[in-house]
Amino acid sequence: MALRNNIPISSLYISLSLLFLLSLIFLLLPHPNQPYPSSSSHYHISHPLTLNQSIKVFVADLPRSLNYGLIDQYWSSNGDFRLKSDEERKIRSSHLSKRFNFPPYPENPLIKQYSAEYWILGDLMTPEKSRAGSFAKRVFKVEEADVVFVPFFATMSAELQLGTAKGVFRKKEGNEDYERQRKVVDLVRGSDAWNRSGGRDHVLVLTDPVAMWHVRSEIAPAILLVVDFGGWYRLDSKSSNGGTSDVIQHTQVSLLKDVIVPYTHLLPRLQLSENKERGTLLYFKGAKHRHRGGLIREKLWDFLVGEPDVIMEEGFPNATGKEQSIRGMRNSEFCLHPAGDTPTSCRLFDAIQSLCIPVIVSDEIELPFEGMVDYAEFSIFVAVSDALRPNWLVRHLRSFSEGQRDKFRRNMAKVQPIFEFDNGHPGGIGPIPPDGAVNHIWKKVHQKLPLIREAIIREKRKPAGVSVPLRCHCT
């Protein structure tokens, strides 16, 4: 008996058997993205992300004065002279009468926008029985850990100094922030955990562009959680000693090892069901005059001010400006996001929470959770060269149909939770939303582990006295 094409059945059985055997061999081989199991018992690393996995995190032992104690210090002071807040006055009056183990984070928008450090540590400090939704599993033996989290509130430390004695921030003498930076570095770099990996498996939160400004070269091997790389790539003519220039080397930050995290949004979330008709084409609120890459903002401002259906407002979302920003973003189809002193700002995440389609004019921008989120599905990206062509930007935005704009907003509504830090619990201590920002940060760190392990192994194979060259193949 033969098949229709005259192929014997016995030949078909042989072919199927070979196909099954090859499939079985393929399944038994290591996946190309999975590292081979290590024979070393002193360094553990997880396999790539699966639905049931977590990242094992050891929290370095730092005194409370370097994290929650800094917030206590903030609330017990007279406040930040740079920006006053009615919400802060209420919290300060209630806070001073109590002693919180986990105090509330400042509502001052200059500081609140960088609060990732607070929410990440809050999750790790939450009792294990309440952490079922967290991707990070806290372990209490460093030998069991994938990474070591350094619980220093670097932003809070920097902002305390900037808010009380800004003039000494770049100096070392008389700079309390520098003293705290120095203490953290000495404690961490002197530990067995740091020496085990050269610091490459340590995680530090540096969301404020000036956080740990004096010691960056010493913590460069670590995994840095930053809002962008804008505070790292610059030549500073005013050094801490007022003499020769300080250069932040490009080898200190890299998309290969570091993680871009969101700013904390300052405006409340607008649900898709609450969206109403929008009467303005384009909205922007912020400072007109910026430095470095932000010079484009001034040029855009001059092009757009006075354009019909375009609102350009100068200001910051403090008590009065916040209400203006809510109205402006919720009433506008598009929200302009030009580079400032750094390529990005919290304005982008306020726009997402307001369902206002971001118009990103920043050629060097890096965005949180790329690969998990496709920003092109809800944002408009515009080259600086195009944006600076007279009348080009407004015409371009008017070319999007109502259907296209609605689709952008529907896609934006899906990703709003991803950029949410606040877990709704006092002091940040309590279960976090599984689809929120903290979990996405840890998942991004988890993706870095194979490369980190490779870097550690490369370093250990070098003979004594030979260093591995600093290389940063950034994309």
Side-chain angles (χ1 to χ4, degrees):
M1 181 178 181
L3 293 178
R4 187 175 301 170
N5 293 331
N6 298 322
I7 300 175
I9 292 178
S10 58
S11 298
L12 180 62
Y13 285 157
I14 293 172
S15 299
L16 290 173
S17 299
L18 286 172
L19 182 61
F20 173 79
L21 182 60
L22 288 171
S23 300
L24 183 61
I25 292 172
F26 176 80
L27 290 172
L28 291 174
L29 287 172
H31 192 277
N33 291 328
Q34 287 184 331
Y36 284 90
S38 173
S39 59
S40 173
S41 60
H42 68 279
Y43 191 80
H44 166 78
I45 198 156
S46 298
H47 292 293
L49 177 64
T50 66
L51 292 176
N52 297 322
Q53 281 186 315
S54 61
I55 185 170
K56 297 179 178 64
V57 182
F58 178 83
V59 180
D61 185 18
L62 293 186
R64 188 179 187 277
S65 61
L66 293 173
N67 39 70
Y68 293 108
L70 294 172
I71 305 180
D72 288 334
Q73 184 178 334
Y74 178 87
W75 288 120
S76 62
S77 69
N78 293 323
D80 193 327
F81 72 89
R82 296 170 297 168
L83 197 63
K84 301 296 182 182
S85 164
D86 290 336
E87 291 176 275
E88 287 223 338
R89 277 189 281 271
K90 294 176 184 177
I91 295 174
R92 184 170 280 105
S93 62
S94 63
H95 179 70
L96 288 177
S97 62
K98 302 176 183 178
R99 173 70 179 179
F100 293 100
N101 287 328
F102 304 104
Y105 203 78
E107 286 294 322
N108 181 334
L110 289 173
I111 303 173
K112 183 179 179 179
Q113 62 181 331
Y114 302 123
S115 65
E117 58 191 15
Y118 178 79
W119 301 107
I120 294 171
L121 181 57
D123 171 45
L124 294 170
M125 296 296 289
T126 297
E128 196 61 34
K129 62 182 180 181
S130 300
R131 303 189 63 249
S134 180
F135 186 74
K137 177 178 174 57
R138 185 173 178 182
V139 296
F140 295 89
K141 294 181 179 179
V142 71
E143 296 81 10
E144 299 175 357
D146 295 317
V147 293
V148 176
F149 181 73
V150 180
F152 176 45
F153 287 174
T155 284
M156 194 72 250
S157 178
E159 293 296 337
L160 278 173
Q161 187 65 55
L162 290 169
T164 55
K166 184 177 180 179
V168 299
F169 181 80
R170 294 180 183 272
K171 302 175 182 178
K172 295 180 179 179
E173 185 177 351
N175 183 348
E176 293 182 2
D177 177 44
Y178 168 71
E179 292 173 6
R180 290 188 287 263
Q181 294 176 38
R182 187 76 264 152
K183 186 173 184 179
V184 170
V185 169
D186 290 346
L187 285 171
V188 172
R189 286 178 62 97
S191 69
D192 291 339
W194 182 279
N195 293 329
R196 179 187 71 163
S197 66
R200 288 177 174 83
D201 59 354
H202 283 52
V203 179
L204 292 99
V205 188
L206 306 182
T207 44
D208 193 316
V210 296
M212 298 194 83
W213 187 80
H214 287 280
V215 296
R216 287 182 167 183
S217 62
E218 298 179 67
I219 59 172
I223 305 164
L224 307 179
L225 308 187
V226 297
V227 292
D228 60 32
F229 294 152
W232 294 80
Y233 298 119
R234 65 188 171 104
L235 176 66
D236 194 339
S237 59
K238 295 180 180 180
S239 72
S240 56
N241 298 318
T244 57
S245 62
D246 292 334
V247 183
I248 300 299
Q249 301 292 342
H250 77 281
T251 49
Q252 293 180 13
V253 286
S254 167
L255 287 176
L256 297 179
K257 71 178 183 68
D258 301 320
V259 174
I260 307 295
V261 304
Y263 286 80
T264 302
H265 63 84
L266 303 177
L267 303 186
R269 184 191 303 184
L270 177 69
Q271 303 290 342
L272 188 61
S273 60
E274 301 172 312
N275 185 58
K276 297 179 180 179
E277 185 176 347
R278 295 169 180 256
T280 302
L281 176 70
L282 180 64
Y283 178 77
F284 173 81
K285 183 179 182 65
K288 176 182 178 180
H289 303 289
R290 295 285 87 184
H291 306 290
R292 296 184 293 275
L295 294 176
I296 180 178
R297 186 182 295 185
E298 295 185 37
K299 296 178 182 178
L300 275 173
W301 191 291
D302 293 337
F303 277 141
L304 294 171
V305 70
E307 279 277 353
D309 299 327
V310 175
I311 296 177
M312 304 290 287
E313 294 179 340
E314 188 146 15
F316 195 81
N318 51 18
T320 304
K322 182 176 180 179
E323 294 303 318
Q324 293 175 338
S325 296
I326 291 173
R327 287 195 301 271
M329 286 193 168
R330 293 187 177 189
N331 192 49
S332 301
E333 296 283 359
F334 300 95
C335 283
L336 185 64
H337 184 77
D341 289 343
T342 56
T344 187
S345 73
C346 67
R347 187 177 296 103
L348 171 62
F349 306 98
D350 284 338
I352 291 171
Q353 298 301 329
S354 304
L355 297 177
C356 185
I357 302 165
V359 180
I360 298 173
V361 186
S362 180
D363 293 348
E364 297 179 356
I365 197 168
E366 300 293 350
L367 295 166
F369 314 141
E370 294 250 40
M372 298 174 173
V373 177
D374 184 353
Y375 286 83
E377 292 185 346
F378 56 86
S379 306
I380 308 296
F381 290 86
V382 176
V384 169
S385 58
D386 285 333
L388 294 181
R389 292 161 57 188
N391 304 318
W392 184 92
L393 184 58
V394 170
R395 286 201 307 268
H396 180 60
L397 297 180
R398 292 190 191 282
S399 71
F400 289 90
S401 68
E402 183 178 352
Q404 288 174 307
R405 297 194 298 267
D406 288 343
K407 185 176 181 181
F408 276 129
R409 263 187 287 278
R410 288 195 302 272
N411 290 336
M412 210 181 318
K414 295 176 183 177
V415 300
Q416 282 177 318
I418 293 173
F419 303 110
E420 181 68 60
F421 281 105
D422 195 331
N423 58 23
H425 301 285
I429 305 300
I432 63 170
D435 59 348
V438 172
N439 266 355
H440 277 79
I441 289 170
W442 284 123
K443 289 176 182 179
K444 266 294 182 183
V445 174
H446 189 271
Q447 292 178 1
K448 311 288 184 180
L449 295 183
L451 285 175
I452 291 165
R453 182 185 187 213
E454 179 181 324
I456 293 170
I457 292 172
R458 286 181 67 233
E459 180 70 35
K460 287 184 176 181
R461 68 168 166 77
K462 285 288 185 178
V466 177
S467 62
V468 177
L470 288 174
R471 294 193 180 98
C472 170
H473 301 292
C474 304
T475 55

